[in-house]
Amino acid sequence: MNREQKIPQFSDLLVTPMMLIALSAGVAMGADPLVSNQTDAVGLGTPHASLDSGLGVEFMTCGGAAGDFNNDGHLDLFIIGGSASTDHLYINDGTGNFSDEAAAWGVDRAHTGSGVAVGDYDNDGWLDLMVTSQGLPNQPRPDVHILYRNNGDGTFSDVTAAAGLGGSYNPFNLVDTFSPAFGDYDLDGDLDLAVAGWYGGSKLFQNNGDGTFSDVTVAALDADMTDVRAFAPRFVDMDGDRYPEILWVSDFETSKYFRNDGDGTFTNMTPANGTGLDSNGMGNTFGDYNNDGIFDWYVTSRIGTNGIPGPGASGNMLYMGTATPHVFSEESVSRGANFGFWGWGAVSLDIDHDGYLDIFATNGFSSSGLDMTPSRMYLNDGTANFVDIASQCGMDDGGQGRGVVHGDFDGDGDEDIFLINCRQKHVYYRNELDGDDINSITLDFDTSAVDNLAPNGFGTRVQFVSDSHTQLRYLDGGSNYLSQSELSVHVGLGSDADADITISWANGDVTNLVSVQPGRYTITALSCPADLTGDGSLNFFDISEFLTMYLAQHPQADLSGDGQFNFFDVSAYLVAYQGGCP
């Protein structure tokens, strides 16, 4: 099926102060990208503030992360405040408006914060926070990093020392720590932790399953991390064997692509596999940009003042995956995604719901004439060739962009972008697609009923097959640069009515869903098909849960697998219920 391609009309190019329409001739679209700057209107107008006004480390450290911290179904934000302020916890009221409740939750820390990771490290059903820091305001020191445990009652507790990440011996050692990232690299069902350090302080911590971590950097990684000038790690299964690789983005040509060997160790594949060519790796994102079933990797860097890539100024790198696992072809220039000024955070999202992943990349640094340089909104034309439409759609903020977060903050089915600026006001771009243009599927994951699955679906690989597209997604908690986005997977469907979905869980189980309609669904991993509450027993509550799902036409209630909701599904559930659980 051919997708419709809208022909730009003169009237489409009109711009109002609150609403900006982007069109780019020759770029295949599902809908015209439509965003508005709602930063102040929704309560996110407090700027990052720094005591240091020079080009010190803090000018590079302003991150944040998204997560549903109170489990009310709405996406919240934790944002680093800076040494002249305190950190912010913006709680979503359910309408896409926010209030800063950091003080009430006990996270209004005054420090020189840098990066944030979100994940339920202790498997208690509540999202926790890992916050890295350069020290106290005007007092650099290595023991101010914070692991916040979510108590589930509207408060967090500092458990850094108890978890083995602090105290008199601090395993990070140096005040150079940037991005943290959670991921289950050993597939034991709990979240491990990678932390990037620029002065050789990068660390890999294994979760011991009892609320503590052990430093396994030397034992697990076959590279000398003291020589790595790291900024942003992330855990991604790049070859489909379920074991996530670690993509460790680093400065001065020291980026590392670590293949997961499946035995608790990693092999450094760089640069023989075609990666690590970025001169100054800062941030990164990944995705299947040409829908060929193979993940690609995008790394931000800096480019020369004359806009020409070269030694010491590579520009952003686009490593396209090949048919040979872990082997890549760098194609950023030919595909239009190289020129990004001085790159930092980047995220992949289908902003126009045409069935192809686009890339939003931040920029800015007061050096080499790249001070007030705009962000890039690279629109995918359907073949993994990109056109920057930032200036047309008003997403070319010229501030000191560092971190970036995307997610559906207003719950309307499209993904919004929160751009984090250093020493300036941040920018919240609300996606204004509406009506038939919001043709998408978003999946959240509940893995609490299966012991060997990491919480919230970390490590879950999902294929969406519709009439026009075959799309691949993977849920990771990696850092794009000091920042982490929503823990969900999202696809646009273009003009297609539905999609067949194959969910490959990290433990090897597979769930197939047929003819799933556009919408947002929580998919539950089950050890027993009839135990829909996941409590290990079959009773009235499971029947009630099935009826609720059935009436809502939730895809997991289609037990006959025919894309319909009828008597056969009810019958199939009754058979499963009578059969009991293993």
Side-chain angles (χ1 to χ4, degrees):
M1 181 183 299
N2 293 325
R3 292 173 296 116
E4 293 183 4
Q5 182 168 327
K6 180 173 285 190
I7 304 299
Q9 304 294 321
F10 178 78
S11 59
D12 291 327
L13 302 179
L14 296 178
V15 178
T16 67
M18 293 298 296
M19 190 164 290
L20 298 144
I21 300 177
L23 288 169
S24 181
V27 177
M29 296 184 180
D32 300 330
L34 183 68
V35 303
S36 64
N37 184 342
Q38 297 290 324
T39 311
D40 291 322
V42 301
L44 296 173
T46 302
H48 177 269
S50 169
L51 294 175
D52 174 22
S53 60
L55 297 180
V57 170
E58 194 173 10
F59 196 46
M60 299 188 292
T61 56
C62 44
D68 181 6
F69 300 114
N70 55 5
N71 284 356
D72 68 349
H74 305 293
L75 195 59
D76 311 307
L77 273 169
F78 180 90
I79 302 298
I80 296 294
S83 60
S85 181
T86 58
D87 292 340
H88 309 287
L89 179 62
Y90 295 108
I91 298 299
N92 192 328
D93 69 356
T95 68
N97 292 289
F98 299 85
S99 59
D100 187 357
E101 300 184 20
W105 285 65
V107 294
D108 57 334
R109 188 74 62 96
H111 67 124
T112 307
S114 48
V116 185
V118 170
D120 180 10
Y121 83 96
D122 57 355
N123 284 298
D124 68 349
W126 298 90
L127 288 177
D128 310 302
L129 285 164
M130 179 66 205
V131 180
T132 55
S133 178
Q134 308 294 326
L136 300 177
N138 279 348
Q139 185 184 352
R141 48 188 282 191
D143 59 347
V144 187
H145 313 293
I146 315 155
L147 177 63
Y148 285 117
R149 180 183 182 273
N150 191 331
N151 299 315
D153 61 359
T155 65
F156 284 93
S157 294
D158 182 345
V159 296
T160 316
L165 299 175
S168 58
Y169 164 69
N170 184 271
F172 299 106
N173 294 324
L174 301 170
V175 288
D176 72 323
T177 310
F178 285 84
S179 305
F182 285 115
D184 184 10
Y185 78 82
D186 50 5
L187 301 188
D188 63 353
D190 50 37
L191 293 178
D192 309 301
L193 176 67
V195 183
W198 197 89
Y199 283 106
S202 291
K203 297 289 183 178
L204 176 63
F205 297 98
Q206 185 179 42
N207 192 323
N208 299 317
D210 59 0
T212 67
F213 294 84
S214 295
D215 183 351
V216 296
T217 311
V218 175
L221 305 178
D222 75 335
D224 183 0
M225 297 304 288
T226 64
D227 293 332
V228 175
R229 304 291 182 247
F231 281 126
R234 67 190 314 152
F235 298 87
V236 184
D237 175 17
M238 298 292 284
D239 61 357
D241 69 348
R242 299 185 291 116
Y243 287 89
E245 280 60 58
I246 305 181
L247 313 180
W248 217 303
V249 177
S250 312
D251 206 353
F252 293 140
E253 300 178 349
T254 63
S255 289
K256 294 289 184 286
Y257 180 106
F258 286 110
R259 184 191 69 204
N260 193 326
D261 297 327
D263 59 0
T265 67
F266 294 81
T267 298
N268 176 24
M269 306 292 287
T270 325
N273 70 337
T275 65
L277 306 178
D278 36 284
S279 62
N280 304 91
M282 306 292 185
N284 74 124
T285 183
F286 75 99
D288 181 8
Y289 300 116
N290 54 359
N291 286 355
D292 66 351
I294 302 170
F295 282 133
D296 315 301
W297 184 26
Y298 188 70
V299 177
T300 61
S301 185
R302 72 178 183 90
I303 202 161
T305 55
N306 58 4
I308 300 175
S314 67
N316 299 339
M317 297 281 96
L318 178 57
Y319 302 113
M320 298 297 294
T322 70
T324 303
H326 308 296
V327 175
F328 297 83
S329 171
E330 200 295 300
E331 302 176 12
S332 60
V333 173
S334 64
R335 293 186 178 274
N338 175 260
F339 186 83
F341 302 107
W342 195 302
W344 299 97
V347 292
S348 300
L349 72 162
D350 185 358
I351 195 167
D352 56 353
H353 289 179
D354 68 346
Y356 299 99
L357 280 174
D358 311 301
I359 298 173
F360 179 79
T362 65
N363 287 290
F365 196 65
S366 294
S367 177
S368 303
L370 299 177
D371 187 2
M372 303 299 287
T373 50
S375 296
R376 299 299 227 188
M377 182 65 247
Y378 294 110
L379 202 67
N380 190 333
D381 72 350
T383 66
N385 292 310
F386 296 89
V387 174
D388 176 27
I389 63 164
S391 61
Q392 293 102 308
C393 68
M395 298 177 73
D396 54 345
D397 177 72
Q400 293 296 330
R402 298 296 183 267
V404 60
V405 177
H406 71 89
D408 186 3
F409 292 103
D410 55 357
D412 65 351
D414 53 31
E415 296 211 304
D416 314 299
I417 292 175
F418 187 74
L419 170 61
I420 305 171
N421 283 324
C422 265
R423 301 175 184 158
Q424 296 168 342
K425 183 181 290 187
H426 311 305
V427 182
Y428 170 54
Y429 293 120
R430 189 174 67 191
N431 195 332
E432 301 290 3
L433 294 177
D434 61 10
D436 293 338
D437 292 336
I438 302 182
N439 193 31
S440 65
I441 295 174
T442 302
L443 301 182
D444 302 293
F445 300 98
D446 180 356
T447 53
S448 59
V450 182
D451 290 339
N452 62 347
L453 286 178
N456 302 102
F458 273 79
T460 304
R461 192 180 184 95
V462 188
Q463 184 185 64
F464 299 80
V465 179
S466 59
D467 286 345
S468 307
H469 309 286
T470 297
Q471 302 183 62
L472 187 64
R473 298 289 189 271
Y474 179 84
L475 195 152
D476 82 309
S479 175
N480 67 76
Y481 178 78
L482 307 177
S483 306
Q484 179 184 320
S485 295
E486 181 178 8
L487 291 172
S488 66
V489 298
H490 172 272
V491 296
L493 296 178
S495 60
D496 297 342
D498 54 35
D500 294 340
I501 301 176
T502 300
I503 299 170
S504 299
W505 304 96
N507 64 354
D509 291 345
V510 175
T511 298
N512 293 301
L513 306 173
V514 177
S515 301
V516 178
Q517 304 293 308
R520 184 163 195 148
Y521 307 95
T522 297
I523 307 300
T524 304
L526 299 170
S527 57
C528 173
D531 181 18
L532 296 180
T533 60
D535 62 0
S537 63
L538 298 181
N539 50 41
F540 164 79
F541 297 104
D542 298 298
I543 297 174
S544 177
E545 180 66 17
F546 170 74
L547 292 175
T548 299
M549 295 171 66
Y550 176 83
L551 292 173
Q553 295 195 358
H554 188 286
Q556 282 190 283
D558 178 23
L559 296 184
S560 64
D562 61 359
Q564 305 295 318
F565 295 87
N566 51 36
F567 165 80
F568 298 104
D569 301 302
V570 178
S571 177
Y573 180 74
L574 292 175
V575 169
Y577 185 89
Q578 292 170 352
C581 290

